[in-house]
Amino acid sequence: MSRPARPTQRSPWAGPLGLYRPGTTVLHRARPGAKLGGLATLGALVVVLRGPGSAAALLVAVLGAAAIGRLPLWSTVRSTLPVLLTATLLGGYQWWARGWQVGAEVAVDLVTLVLAATVVTATTPADRMLDALGTAARPLRHVGLPPETVALAVGIMLRAIPALLETFTETRDAARARGLDRSPRALLVPAAVRTVARARATGDALAARGLAD
């Protein structure tokens, strides 16, 4: 007698950011400020260094960091798949317009930066990340911008990315259940309405708590 197939529970796609995975690696124990500083340094190197060779070297370094942080291969590839597609299209256009060296450099640099940000968010709890951002934003207090507001805005942005994707996935599944998965109207209109409703609910919750007045 054959055993019934077990239903597979597929985790929702949550994008390249906001995917903290608990662990005990060196990167998990590192201070969030140091990791954010390393990310900023990497961004500067991507701008300063030229050529596909330098871009490839930076990508190898980031891949090494991902291995040290023990990021799961499939989940990481899946979360960065839209970025990989965008990098391929953008690099292809630059290849056609400005040559293969520029095309390869642009595509690899984009993947490198997104993967580096993924390593930081995957190895840093959100609360520690927000504390580090609040500390880094303290000088903004002198120009009238509370650092807590900056940290709150970044936190809402990071939370909004997977929330929006979850809304889109639920809307797509509902349209598919009604046999309307090929109808852009059945997909886009409910997704837009639910996104606006979520944004208004978030704004009302912030206003009720007296935040960001």
Side-chain angles (χ1 to χ4, degrees):
M1 183 176 65
S2 61
R3 301 177 58 183
R6 298 179 57 184
T8 57
Q9 184 67 31
R10 189 178 184 182
S11 59
W13 189 85
L17 302 177
L19 293 174
Y20 173 67
R21 294 181 176 277
T24 58
T25 69
V26 174
L27 288 178
H28 284 85
R29 296 195 302 270
R31 297 175 58 184
K35 286 185 279 191
L36 290 175
L39 185 60
T41 302
L42 176 66
L45 290 176
V46 165
V47 173
V48 172
L49 299 179
R50 297 294 183 181
S54 300
L58 293 176
L59 178 59
V60 170
V62 173
L63 288 174
I68 293 174
R70 296 182 181 177
L71 268 65
L73 178 60
W74 170 239
S75 297
T76 303
V77 172
R78 181 174 174 235
S79 65
T80 56
L81 196 56
V83 179
L84 295 175
L85 178 59
T86 302
T88 301
L89 296 176
L90 185 60
Y93 173 77
Q94 292 294 334
W95 187 326
W96 172 76
R98 303 172 62 185
W100 73 269
Q101 295 90 344
V102 177
E105 180 183 354
V106 169
V108 173
D109 283 347
L110 178 59
V111 174
T112 298
L113 289 175
V114 174
L115 182 58
T118 302
V119 172
V120 172
T121 56
T123 59
T124 310
D127 55 344
R128 294 185 62 193
M129 178 78 74
L130 296 182
D131 289 343
L133 290 173
T135 301
R138 281 178 182 174
L140 297 178
R141 188 187 300 276
H142 300 291
V143 295
L145 184 59
E148 296 82 4
T149 302
V150 177
L152 178 63
V154 174
I156 292 175
M157 181 196 70
L158 292 176
R159 181 66 187 92
I161 294 173
L164 290 176
L165 293 169
E166 181 182 358
T167 298
F168 180 82
T169 302
E170 292 175 353
T171 305
R172 182 195 60 190
D173 293 342
R176 183 176 297 169
R178 302 196 307 273
L180 300 174
D181 52 318
R182 294 183 180 275
S183 172
R185 182 179 179 182
L187 179 62
L188 297 179
V189 173
V193 171
R194 294 183 63 182
T195 300
V196 172
R198 185 188 294 271
R200 293 193 61 177
T202 302
D204 292 343
L206 293 175
R209 290 166 174 78
L211 298 174
D213 286 338

